[in-house]
Amino acid sequence: MRLVPLTLLLLLTATTASAAPTPVQFTLDPDHTYPSFEADHMGLSIWRGKFDRSTGTATLDTVGKTGTIDVTVDIASIDFGNPALNKVMLGATAPMCQTQCGMFFAEKYPTAHYRGRLTDFVDGAPTKAVGTLTMRGVTQPLTLTIDRFKCVPDFMLKPRQRCGADALGTFERDAFGLDGGKSFGMDMKVTLRIQVEAVQDK
């Protein structure tokens, strides 16, 4: 008779293990994801721009307080609202340069890549992403502060969830070889702002 309680305990343990939460998979919505940035121009003004095309995936486990993010940005989609400046930034020859002085050289390095872990959960929402950013073949650590994070049922895709976030981080662009203007005294600090939405996979 003692085997009965033991058997029940084993069944309960197996059932609980099989019901353990697993990370939910998400795909970034490219129409609602725009990495943008701010950078110094000769100490006179702040350049602002964004990238119009991004792809990526994410996972989220609110119970286990874990998650991941993996984003690839199309460098050629850069947009300052100034076509001439876009060409310079992508690697076209600028009038003041004897040779190419563009920052990204998009033909050789067409993408930037961020990969990180979602951490520091508060009330089921991550407040940081700790990871690495790769640009121009250089990889550097980059931590993003997540100022806002929320998930709701997607009204067009119920019961699938849609999550959105606002994230902020800073880095020194010359660490990636993006040192255009450094000899002119330009500050190398870049502020990165990311608005992102992702939809739960089927």
Side-chain angles (χ1 to χ4, degrees):
M1 295 298 294
R2 292 180 181 179
L3 292 176
V4 175
L6 179 59
T7 302
L8 290 175
L9 178 61
L10 291 173
L11 288 173
L12 179 60
T13 301
T15 302
T16 303
S18 65
T22 57
V24 180
Q25 307 286 327
F26 291 84
T27 297
L28 266 62
D29 180 349
D31 293 327
H32 293 85
T33 299
Y34 292 101
S36 63
F37 52 87
E38 301 173 356
D40 170 63
H41 182 243
M42 303 293 291
L44 300 174
S45 61
I46 300 296
W47 288 354
R48 292 181 174 88
K50 63 185 178 69
F51 294 97
D52 291 334
R53 293 190 296 273
S54 302
T55 59
T57 59
T59 64
L60 180 65
D61 180 352
T62 57
V63 176
K65 297 181 179 180
T66 62
T68 61
I69 183 76
D70 193 305
V71 184
T72 299
V73 177
D74 180 358
I75 295 297
S77 71
I78 196 170
D79 183 10
F80 280 95
N82 182 329
L85 180 56
N86 293 346
K87 290 181 180 179
V88 171
M89 298 295 286
L90 291 175
T93 301
M96 74 289 291
C97 302
Q98 296 299 315
T99 58
Q100 283 189 325
C101 64
M103 299 178 69
F104 287 105
F105 298 106
E107 289 188 4
K108 185 175 181 180
Y109 306 102
T111 62
H113 184 211
Y114 182 78
R115 177 180 294 163
R117 297 179 294 105
L118 301 178
T119 68
D120 294 63
F121 280 65
V122 176
D123 296 328
T127 62
K128 285 184 180 180
V130 179
T132 58
L133 175 64
T134 301
M135 290 192 299
R136 282 190 29 150
V138 177
T139 300
Q140 294 284 341
L142 178 62
T143 296
L144 302 175
T145 298
I146 301 174
D147 295 325
R148 180 177 179 178
F149 185 94
K150 185 177 182 179
C151 295
V152 297
D154 189 301
F155 73 95
M156 294 182 64
L157 301 171
K158 289 181 180 180
R160 292 160 62 187
Q161 294 280 305
R162 174 180 289 266
C163 296
D166 253 3
L168 173 72
T170 61
F171 61 88
E172 301 292 321
R173 60 182 173 86
D174 58 337
F176 295 91
L178 307 175
D179 58 358
K182 185 174 183 178
S183 62
F184 306 147
M186 290 176 64
D187 189 344
M188 295 291 100
K189 180 180 178 180
V190 172
T191 298
L192 180 65
R193 301 180 185 274
I194 304 172
Q195 64 183 70
V196 56
E197 292 186 17
V199 178
Q200 180 181 350
D201 293 349
K202 294 180 180 179

